[in-house]
Amino acid sequence: MPQDPCTLSIKEIVAQLDSDDVQGLGRKEATQRLEHYGFNQIPEQGPKKRWIIFVDQLLNPIIYILAVAAVLAFVFSDLLEGIAIIIVILISVGIGFFMELQAIRSLEALRKMGQATTYVIRSGKKIRLKASVVVPGDVVLLYTGDVIPADGRLIEVDNLSVKESALTGESAPVNKKVEELKAKTPITDQSNMVFRGTSVLAGSGRAIVTATGKHTQLGNIQQMGLDAEKERTPLEKKLNQLSQWLIWLTVFFAVLIIVTGYIRGIDLLLMIETGVALAVAAIPEGLPIVATIALAQGMLRLSEKKVIIKKLEAVQTLGATDIICTDKTGTLTEDQMKVHTVLFGNESLTKEYPVKSDILDSGSKYSAFNKIILASILCNNVVGMPKDEPGDSIELALMDFAEQLDYDTVSIKNEHPEIMELPFDAKRKLMATVNQYQKKFEVYVKGAYESLVPYCSFYWDTSGRKPFDLKEDWDKKLDKLASQGLRTLAFAIKETSECPTKESLLHELTFLGIIGFIDPAREDVKATIDIYRKAGIRVVMVTGDHPGTSKKIAEEVGILKEDEPKEKVLLGKDLQQGLDKSDNCTAKLLNASVFARVTPEQKLDLVTFYQDNNHIVGMIGDGINDVPALKKANIGIAMGIRGTEAAREVADVILKNDKFTAIELAIRQGRVVFQNIRQFVVYLLSCNLAEILSVGLAALLNLPAPLLPLQILFLNLVTDVFPALALGLGKGEEDIMDQPPKNPKAPIMERKDWYDTMIYGLSISASVLGVVAYGNFILKLAPMAINNMAFYTLVLAQLFNVFNMPKRQELFFVNEVTKNPWVWGAIVLSIMITLGAYLIPPVARALSLETFSSGHLGVTILFAFGSLVLAQFVKRVGSIFGRE
């Protein structure tokens, strides 16, 4: 395959490819090349295998701990306990498996069906082939609406215009030519090349294929996406850290109790069994279940908002995101050209200042404006306003602008029938039509300013037609529009009583003015970016487009203020230099809000740069050029409708309706999920700490055993899980999007959370040991009766513990927990299950539950409620001294 084909002449490129630009390849030669180069397909990561999804759910440290606990249970012949733990593992793994499977099925539903085909010339004949069998040297025919099947060097064009935004980020279509270019011409300027995955907007052409499959520009980008290492989610890291703490905590307490008891002369086997009980108590069996269901609930809520989450942990990662890198074209903008500015005479109209009725009056001083609109309609190949058919985006924008001003475009075309047309040509860079109106003829011309002005002898101002002696002034006006990133088009007119010839068509034209076009910002984006700013999230535009265009859109959507210093807008080359230099350059990059003229490699480098500087990065994109960055980002977000298949494949989140505002909903839900996870982790660990302390201290103090291993497992799966699950389903704080993102380095349990966990756990332990001591020394009860009192006390104390979870500054009776209906349902359900365990003889025997008197029940309720009172007292005292 030839190197730098854009620099080669057609003759050289045909020779290097050993092909024929007229006859194409022979069938035999094409078959041999297909065997040599392989199919014209790009390596993709296919849908995730079902068994891999299942195995991924098992790769969790907490699952490892549970598995060890199950093995220990079987070793000590606690069959019921071992089976129960295995059921816990299967429930957690099953929920995660089916939720991820649902996301993959949603993704597969978005995949485009069918295989693309294309026209090629082989052995001098035009034939239609599957795009996958195109080979280097094939001559491909291109028509309006075609998706280009491979990279190719153009050998013939007829007004060929190609949309390359999916590859380059440029919103404007590219007019193609065949002349060779200079060496090292960037891909955005390779006007004599066509690239796989882009589409033909208008015209036709012929190209010789220079690269297929993984060797195309698309293939190179896709390979970068495959090679980019996916960052582990913050939740995965934090849960793993927490799991390691729990492992060491479990080992420490179990060994401490066994060694201490053995030194005191207690039977070793009894102490080992007590150590196993402590190990079971230390493991929050409900944590993986509750975390999975909380994430799944967030996933389902977002699916109702047309947001597909491909992996459970991505829900929480959204909430931790503090920088969002977003593409411009099609993400922040409409991906559709619109008229932005009209310059005529001494007037300037922009989209911020609507056209007034007096301007539309044909008899007014603004007649030049009306003539520009007529030229826009008549020197235009669009008929009406086709909604679904492809067409030149500039011509469509002109017709749309005219219709918005209530010009009847169809009637105007009928009243001014076209007599002659000079079609647009890449060399001439203008188009002209001759239209008849009543008994006179009108010539309307539009084209590049520098190409049209040499033909203009006059210009039209408010007082009529005058000699065109203001060309320097118009040059400055054009430069100003270009500096804003607007794509410009100049207009001219000539009126004559006789039909002009092709030779005289462009003589002595009258210059009318200039229209500036832009791909406008989406109307709903600015409000969403304001929400991000309040939430402490920076939005950074990363695009391959013109810096002037990028800056203007950034100002419109609120990424930049109009008076921001120029250092806020950097080019891709600035990024590359900054990555290789000092701390000053690092600060400059971190401070920038817009990166323009950025290549796919540089997008990937920028995401990596932010991650290296301890940021959680979200990347929003829809094009082929976004694939590597989407893969590398902590959370990749792709558009579901307009997004390319490659972008959807590597993303973590897909917006089915392509709405930028849906991301704000996703981030809000992610923050709620993380807040809920932290809350129920505190709840679960405080309950488990209470169990550890109760069993351990009772053993050290030689008191009757307050809990047996199977009773602990029952508590962990019933009175722990259901209230924790209710906390995980909470709606979160109303002002959650007014809070800054959590520190990505902060663990899931901060110092304050550990302090709260200790207070709640000690309060519950005090109530359990209190009831054990009361039953042993005051009531003189048998060990099993004392065990039952302690068991029921712990059940109720753990249920009361849920009311400790709100923040200290919130009212005790009115807060997010008391207003959560799931909490009240969980309490009732837990009490009913405990009552059922007491009433069903086989279950009661397994849990060693005996007949319980009402008097003993009253004592347990009193001690259990005392744990809540004690915890609240310490909590309120702590708030007085400023501990939060």
Side-chain angles (χ1 to χ4, degrees), residues 181-290:
L181 301 172
K182 295 179 181 179
K184 298 183 179 180
T185 300
I187 187 173
T188 51
D189 297 328
Q190 290 184 16
S191 55
N192 62 0
M193 295 287 297
V194 288
F195 302 101
R196 179 187 172 111
T198 59
S199 56
V200 179
L201 274 183
S204 60
R206 195 156 48 96
I208 186 166
V209 174
T210 56
T212 59
K214 64 181 181 180
H215 302 290
T216 61
Q217 289 292 330
L218 170 58
N220 293 334
I221 295 171
Q222 187 83 338
Q223 191 60 48
M224 279 194 290
L226 293 174
D227 294 341
E229 293 185 9
K230 184 66 180 175
E231 286 285 306
R232 289 169 60 199
T233 67
L235 184 62
E236 287 177 309
K237 296 176 182 178
K238 291 173 181 180
L239 285 178
N240 286 343
Q241 291 171 358
L242 180 60
S243 301
Q244 291 170 7
W245 271 93
L246 293 175
I247 290 171
W248 289 111
L249 189 66
T250 301
V251 172
F252 173 76
F253 275 106
V255 172
L256 177 65
I257 292 299
I258 293 171
V259 172
T260 304
Y262 182 71
I263 291 174
R264 294 178 60 228
I266 303 174
D267 181 66
L268 179 61
L269 184 59
L270 177 61
M271 292 313 301
I272 291 176
E273 290 180 351
T274 303
V276 172
L278 274 174
V280 173
I283 300 168
E285 286 86 353
L287 180 57
I289 295 176
V290 177

Side-chain angles (χ1 to χ4, degrees), residues 431-443:
M431 171 187 177
T433 60
V434 178
N435 300 79
Q436 185 173 3
Y437 182 63
Q438 297 176 353
K439 294 184 179 180
K440 62 180 180 179
F441 296 90
E442 301 163 329
V443 178

Side-chain angles (χ1 to χ4, degrees), residues 207-498:
I208 186 166
V209 174
T210 56
T212 59
K214 64 181 181 180
H215 302 290
T216 61
Q217 289 292 330
L218 170 58
N220 293 334
I221 295 171
Q222 187 83 338
Q223 191 60 48
M224 279 194 290
L226 293 174
D227 294 341
E229 293 185 9
K230 184 66 180 175
E231 286 285 306
R232 289 169 60 199
T233 67
L235 184 62
E236 287 177 309
K237 296 176 182 178
K238 291 173 181 180
L239 285 178
N240 286 343
Q241 291 171 358
L242 180 60
S243 301
Q244 291 170 7
W245 271 93
L246 293 175
I247 290 171
W248 289 111
L249 189 66
T250 301
V251 172
F252 173 76
F253 275 106
V255 172
L256 177 65
I257 292 299
I258 293 171
V259 172
T260 304
Y262 182 71
I263 291 174
R264 294 178 60 228
I266 303 174
D267 181 66
L268 179 61
L269 184 59
L270 177 61
M271 292 313 301
I272 291 176
E273 290 180 351
T274 303
V276 172
L278 274 174
V280 173
I283 300 168
E285 286 86 353
L287 180 57
I289 295 176
V290 177
T292 302
I293 292 178
L295 291 169
Q297 175 70 5
M299 197 170 175
L300 291 172
R301 285 177 179 171
L302 290 174
S303 69
E304 294 172 359
K305 303 293 184 181
K306 306 297 183 182
V307 180
I308 297 175
I309 307 293
K310 291 169 64 177
K311 190 173 182 181
L312 285 176
E313 287 80 1
V315 177
Q316 188 277 327
T317 308
L318 280 164
T321 300
D322 62 339
I323 284 184
I324 293 179
C325 297
T326 176
D327 185 32
K328 176 186 72 69
T329 306
T331 305
L332 300 178
T333 67
E334 299 285 355
D335 194 17
Q336 186 177 4
M337 282 292 180
K338 298 284 185 181
V339 171
H340 183 277
T341 301
V342 183
L343 301 182
F344 59 98
N346 295 320
E347 301 291 332
S348 175
L349 299 176
T350 68
K351 72 172 189 175
E352 287 83 6
Y353 301 98
V355 178
K356 301 292 193 302
S357 58
D358 61 333
I359 296 177
L360 299 177
D361 182 1
S362 60
S364 75
K365 65 178 181 178
Y366 299 111
S367 59
F369 178 83
N370 289 275
K371 293 183 183 297
I372 288 177
I373 301 302
L374 284 177
S376 300
I377 297 169
L378 297 172
C379 190
N380 195 319
N381 288 321
V382 173
V383 179
M385 279 299 293
K387 301 300 181 185
D388 300 318
E389 297 178 12
D392 183 86
S393 59
I394 295 296
E395 293 197 333
L396 288 169
L398 289 171
M399 295 296 280
D400 180 58
F401 183 59
E403 293 198 352
Q404 285 183 22
L405 298 177
D406 293 327
Y407 282 81
D408 188 340
T409 58
V410 175
S411 296
I412 289 173
K413 278 185 174 283
N414 291 334
E415 292 170 1
H416 299 71
E418 184 178 303
I419 305 300
M420 186 193 313
E421 178 180 326
L422 184 66
F424 178 87
D425 180 84
K427 291 182 179 179
R428 192 166 45 236
K429 293 186 179 179
L430 56 79
M431 171 187 177
T433 60
V434 178
N435 300 79
Q436 185 173 3
Y437 182 63
Q438 297 176 353
K439 294 184 179 180
K440 62 180 180 179
F441 296 90
E442 301 163 329
V443 178
Y444 294 100
V445 187
K446 74 174 191 291
Y449 173 81
E450 64 275 10
S451 300
L452 186 145
V453 165
Y455 297 105
C456 296
S457 302
F458 307 92
Y459 85 100
W460 208 293
D461 73 355
T462 54
S463 59
R465 196 175 74 153
K466 293 183 177 180
F468 197 7
D469 54 3
L470 300 173
K471 293 184 180 181
E472 290 185 1
D473 292 342
W474 279 97
D475 289 345
K476 293 177 182 178
K477 291 180 181 181
L478 184 79
D479 291 341
K480 185 176 180 180
L481 293 181
S483 68
Q484 297 174 348
L486 299 183
R487 184 179 172 88
T488 58
L489 200 61
F491 293 83
I493 189 174
K494 180 170 71 172
E495 297 178 351
T496 177
S497 58
E498 297 182 0

Side-chain angles (χ1 to χ4, degrees), residues 61-105:
I62 294 182
I63 298 294
Y64 303 158
I65 302 173
L66 290 175
V68 172
V71 171
L72 288 173
F74 287 126
V75 168
F76 287 98
S77 302
D78 289 325
L79 186 62
L80 288 174
E81 183 180 328
I83 293 173
I85 295 175
I86 289 175
I87 292 173
V88 171
I89 293 174
L90 292 176
I91 291 173
S92 177
V93 168
I95 294 172
F97 173 78
F98 286 110
M99 291 307 299
E100 284 198 31
L101 187 61
Q102 181 189 53
I104 285 178
R105 286 172 176 167

Side-chain angles (χ1 to χ4, degrees), residues 619-686:
M619 175 69 199
I620 308 170
D622 61 355
I624 302 164
N625 60 327
D626 300 316
V627 167
L630 285 170
K631 174 74 176 294
K632 178 63 177 174
N634 299 93
I635 191 82
I637 305 165
M639 301 298 177
I641 299 173
R642 191 177 53 257
T644 60
E645 179 65 26
R648 295 200 301 263
E649 187 67 43
V650 301
D652 304 291
V653 178
I654 298 172
L655 307 181
K656 289 178 70 176
N657 56 8
D658 282 8
K659 288 188 177 180
F660 185 80
T661 51
I663 305 166
E664 185 267 327
L665 297 174
I667 290 175
R668 179 186 298 273
Q669 188 60 50
R671 290 190 171 192
V672 168
V673 166
F674 184 72
Q675 183 186 75
N676 291 345
I677 287 176
R678 175 169 283 178
Q679 197 172 64
F680 68 62
V681 166
V682 170
Y683 174 80
L684 286 172
L685 292 187
S686 60

Side-chain angles (χ1 to χ4, degrees), residues 1-22:
M1 298 182 189
Q3 299 296 315
D4 295 325
C6 68
T7 64
L8 303 176
S9 67
I10 295 173
K11 185 177 181 180
E12 289 173 324
I13 201 80
V14 170
Q16 283 198 24
L17 289 166
D18 192 19
S19 184
D20 188 306
D21 60 330
V22 177

